[in-house]
Amino acid sequence: MAGYFGNMGAVVLGPAATVEHASMHTEAAEAAILDVNLNGRRVFPIADELMRRGVPFVFFSGDEDIVIPERLWHASNLRKSSDGYAVFDALFPPERSALAGSPPVSLSDNVFSLLPKLRLVARLLLGDVEASDRLVERTLERAIGEIDRRRAGVSTEDWLNGIMRNVARASGASLLH
């Protein structure tokens, strides 16, 4: 997964072999893929910290019998055989705020602070750095035109991700040229 996301332009902070090593990355992380079992220790304290900060994460495990604490049931629990697309969809669902049982997350409305996440989402959608930057550009252009029609109560991040998905669906292939 580190190679997959790194090739998409993400700044990869891991992999971390221990819970202590993983904890050193919680303040810098913008999204996380957590192996539930790190050398015999569970990563649930890391998940708690990421949840506190409003950082999206997924559990990624090769074990079927892992019991996830109830407070973390809102997070996806993927098998290690899952591909990058499945991980991407689990990290950035189209309507994260609509997920049942998800804790309230206060997301910044500052578009500049969201740009790294938008670029990551675009790179995961398209897989090409230049095309991804064009997708972010078109997303922001469309957002400017649609600002008056933005639904109340939708975070800026969810709103922009929705626009990006629509732009990618409508013109994804043309962005590659």
Side-chain angles (χ1 to χ4, degrees):
M1 282 295 146
Y4 174 80
F5 285 98
N7 288 337
M8 295 299 138
V11 175
V12 178
L13 302 175
T18 65
V19 171
E20 292 77 19
H21 185 219
S23 69
M24 295 179 351
H25 299 300
T26 57
E27 287 301 314
E30 294 180 358
I33 303 165
L34 302 174
D35 188 336
V36 176
N37 182 356
L38 289 180
N39 288 321
R41 294 195 47 212
R42 302 291 188 239
V43 302
F44 304 133
I46 304 301
D48 289 332
E49 177 59 20
L50 294 170
M51 187 172 63
R52 184 192 68 74
R53 290 190 51 240
V55 174
F57 63 91
V58 297
F59 292 116
F60 200 61
S61 178
D63 301 329
E64 288 185 25
D65 59 346
I66 298 289
V67 176
I68 305 294
E70 187 174 341
R71 70 185 183 278
L72 301 171
W73 282 358
H74 68 277
S76 294
N77 187 4
L78 302 175
R79 304 273 303 139
K80 283 193 176 178
S81 58
S82 300
D83 63 15
Y85 294 110
V87 174
F88 170 78
D89 286 341
L91 282 171
F92 306 106
E95 290 290 335
R96 181 179 333 133
S97 59
L99 292 175
S102 63
V105 177
S106 98
L107 296 170
S108 170
D109 269 353
N110 181 340
V111 173
F112 292 108
S113 69
L114 294 174
L115 283 175
K117 289 182 183 181
L118 289 173
R119 290 184 80 206
L120 174 60
V121 170
R123 288 180 181 172
L124 294 172
L125 283 170
L126 298 179
D128 178 90
V129 175
E130 291 177 15
S132 300
D133 287 343
R134 286 190 290 274
L135 176 57
V136 171
E137 183 178 348
R138 287 192 188 169
T139 297
L140 294 174
E141 287 170 352
R142 179 160 305 164
I144 291 168
E146 295 180 9
I147 190 72
D148 293 336
R149 294 186 304 273
R150 179 178 169 190
R151 288 183 326 184
V154 175
S155 72
T156 301
E157 181 177 11
D158 288 343
W159 177 63
L160 290 172
N161 280 331
I163 292 172
M164 182 179 295
R165 280 176 168 44
N166 291 336
V167 170
R169 250 185 257 118
S171 58
S174 70
L175 293 168
L176 296 171
H177 304 293

